Amino acid sequence: MTTGVTVGAPPGPAETAAAATRGTVAPAPGTPTPPARTAGGRQEPPVTALRLAASHLRAAGCHVEPGPPGSGTAFTARAGGARASCVLSWAGPVDLPLAGEADVQAACGLAHVHGRRYGRPTALGVAYASCVAGLLAATGTLAALAAAAGRGGSTHLIRKGTGARAAVTVHTSVAEAALLSVGQYLAAATAGDDGWTEPAGPGGPPFQAADGSRFELETLDPGAWLRFWTALGVDRAAAGHGWHAFGQRYATAVCPLPPALLAATARHAMPYLRRVARGTGVDVTAVAVAPRPAQAADEQPWQLRTLGEVGPAPAELGRGGAGPLDGVSVVEVCRRVQGPLAGHLLRLLGARVVRVEPPGGDPMRGMPPLAGDCSARFAALNHGKDVLEADLGTAAGRAAVRERVAAADVFLHSLAPGKDLRAGLDARSLIALRPGLVHAAASGWGGERGRRPPTGTDFPVQAWSGLAALVTPPGLPPAPSLLTLTDVLGGVACAEGAVAGLLAARLTGRGRAVTTSLLSAARLLCRPEFRTAPEEATVPACTDLAALAADPRFAPVLDHGPCVRPRGPWEFAR
């Protein structure tokens, strides 16, 4: 699993550093602080992640206090008479001496997957694992509060066998956040599918025009892809070979393209390429050379709106032992990564998730490599969910989904803009049907790119937001990571927003509309506090995810079955 490689992060502004002792909430931004590793060798807590978690809990209406010095507790949050504490560390149950973001990226496979396009493990120029960990810490804490808080501030979380009220401590780690982020790749590497070979090869988009402009192409339609390249004079064989790599890049983190494709765009100016793209149904997104300015709505990667009348009294949660959301029912209408990952996290917290798929099942179930009779990548996001087959293009299919929603607590979707309204699955319609419902919508661009935005997928969002410029190694032109950064972070943010909405709905009885996007996740990563200092890892870098899965030091956080999957990234102790 490991080699002697050390991985250095690309240079950037210094991380806004660390608290003086364990168990403290991070100081205010701008406060001078020591680096994560002190001269005396004392390991500091993941302060950037802690600060993010605390700020999101406050945004959700919680009161947050620092834990007692030396207690190991980062903070305690209160809401509606309920209380939950959080412990956040670098390594958690992983038996490795991880003391910072660079160590986690190297040891837990992030640098390996991100570096596939460069042919070697390469650290991200942002504190990605810390950012994911901060959202996970807030999500777990919110779930514990939702289980403990009922209407009017009454508490329902009971210490098993005693009948006494119990405070909960939520444990998570930056290492578990990193492993969750590479979960699909880990599952694929351990699927045992003899008919599938892990792809390899450096290179990939962005493309470059004759004037030097760099851009991402996006289409989910192989016909549109072929029309675009044919219009540029590329033969069908080269275009077809390119589609195989291009269409699989989200799953493999590699995209070696035929040189003929790169040469074709380099012969034409950008205005001409845009016209060809419009005429053939392909989207073109310029790669920004720096992060775009944040919007006022970007303080959190989710937004909550209160809708509808007061619903029925909430049921008690967390009594069955499956997790704090045991008793919550979720209906999920999602594809690809962002939405299914949000539903996956809600299931790991104990919720029952019913996934709506087209008649015959989601075609992604057959995507190689297979683990048993199902795609390993699909299983990494959807294992344990129930399935309702329904055609949303028919009245009967839409009625079947609405019938399920009428008894649900959360509706989660990643439908294209406007499609939820046309199907009668928008927030106002469903919250009127089920007062107190949390309606969570995961999109690509949010409302920022107009009424007819380009296809909102991970790599164009990285390009347009400027995140690509931060994650590219120094000395190279900006290029999005082929690791699905915003899909994963956007999915975690959607789950966090849904649980924040669930807590608010339980306290007030009124429904919440939650909106999240890949763009808001990208902008979160573009904040100065997540731009990492040029620091080398002190542990060897993972170069083989299958070997990582077999390493006993990772055993406490991995489930072994037809393929290996990360376990839920939380422990709840009473």
Side-chain angles (χ1 to χ4, degrees), residues 295-495:
Q295 304 296 305
D298 290 333
E299 188 174 352
Q300 290 84 230
W302 43 260
Q303 299 295 317
L304 299 183
R305 288 186 297 131
T306 303
L307 289 176
E309 303 299 324
V310 174
E316 294 187 15
L317 301 182
R319 297 292 298 277
L325 297 190
D326 184 27
V328 169
S329 174
V330 180
V331 176
E332 174 195 303
V333 181
C334 296
R335 317 178 43 197
R336 300 176 71 84
V337 177
Q338 177 193 20
L341 177 58
H344 176 63
L345 291 171
L346 296 179
R347 188 193 68 79
L348 291 174
L349 287 165
R352 180 195 178 203
V353 180
V354 178
R355 176 176 169 78
V356 178
E357 298 186 9
D362 192 319
M364 298 299 289
R365 290 180 175 274
M367 180 182 181
L370 297 181
D373 60 356
C374 183
S375 164
R377 301 182 193 281
F378 185 89
L381 297 171
N382 298 294
H383 173 76
K385 297 176 182 177
D386 296 335
V387 176
L388 169 66
E389 293 191 4
D391 183 356
L392 294 181
T394 67
R398 295 190 294 272
V401 174
R402 287 172 61 86
E403 181 180 357
R404 286 298 184 103
V405 174
D409 303 290
V410 178
F411 177 71
L412 170 65
H413 82 84
S414 61
L415 296 169
K419 189 172 181 179
D420 60 335
L421 183 62
R422 294 191 295 272
L425 301 176
D426 57 293
R428 290 192 179 278
S429 297
L430 292 187
I431 291 175
L433 172 70
R434 170 65 165 169
L437 178 76
V438 175
H439 182 284
S443 71
W445 300 105
E448 192 164 324
R449 300 294 307 274
R451 296 180 62 185
R452 294 184 178 180
T455 304
T457 50
D458 194 303
F459 307 138
V461 169
Q462 287 191 51
W464 194 84
S465 66
L467 177 60
L470 299 180
V471 301
T472 305
L476 297 178
S481 174
L482 290 176
L483 170 65
T484 51
L485 297 180
T486 66
D487 263 333
V488 170
L489 187 61
V492 179
C494 184

Side-chain angles (χ1 to χ4, degrees), residues 103-130:
D103 284 351
V104 170
Q105 289 193 25
C108 299
L110 277 172
H112 164 59
V113 179
H114 172 60
R116 286 179 179 179
R117 73 176 300 153
Y118 303 112
R120 64 189 184 281
T122 305
L124 293 154
V126 292
Y128 184 77
S130 293

Side-chain angles (χ1 to χ4, degrees), residues 514-530:
V514 183
T515 54
T516 63
S517 70
L518 300 183
L519 180 57
S520 64
R523 284 193 163 137
L524 175 61
L525 274 175
C526 287
R527 292 183 188 175
E529 60 264 37
F530 293 110

Side-chain angles (χ1 to χ4, degrees), residues 90-175:
W90 288 109
V94 175
D95 188 18
L96 283 170
L98 308 178
E101 177 74 23
D103 284 351
V104 170
Q105 289 193 25
C108 299
L110 277 172
H112 164 59
V113 179
H114 172 60
R116 286 179 179 179
R117 73 176 300 153
Y118 303 112
R120 64 189 184 281
T122 305
L124 293 154
V126 292
Y128 184 77
S130 293
C131 189
V132 176
L135 298 190
L136 290 175
T139 303
T141 304
L142 288 166
L145 291 170
R151 187 77 49 77
S154 61
T155 57
H156 293 299
L157 189 64
I158 306 299
R159 182 180 289 114
K160 188 174 181 180
T162 67
R165 293 176 179 176
V168 174
T169 300
V170 182
H171 297 256
T172 190
S173 68
V174 183

Side-chain angles (χ1 to χ4, degrees), residues 64-65 156 177 181 210 233 262 301 351 387 457 470 478 497 560:
V64 182
E65 301 172 342
H156 293 299
S181 302
L262 302 174
V387 176
T457 50
L470 299 180
H560 292 259

Side-chain angles (χ1 to χ4, degrees), residues 234-258:
V234 176
D235 67 76
R236 293 176 65 93
H241 182 69
W243 173 255
H244 179 72
F246 184 82
Q248 294 291 315
R249 71 198 191 285
Y250 283 94
T252 62
V254 296
C255 188
L257 293 173

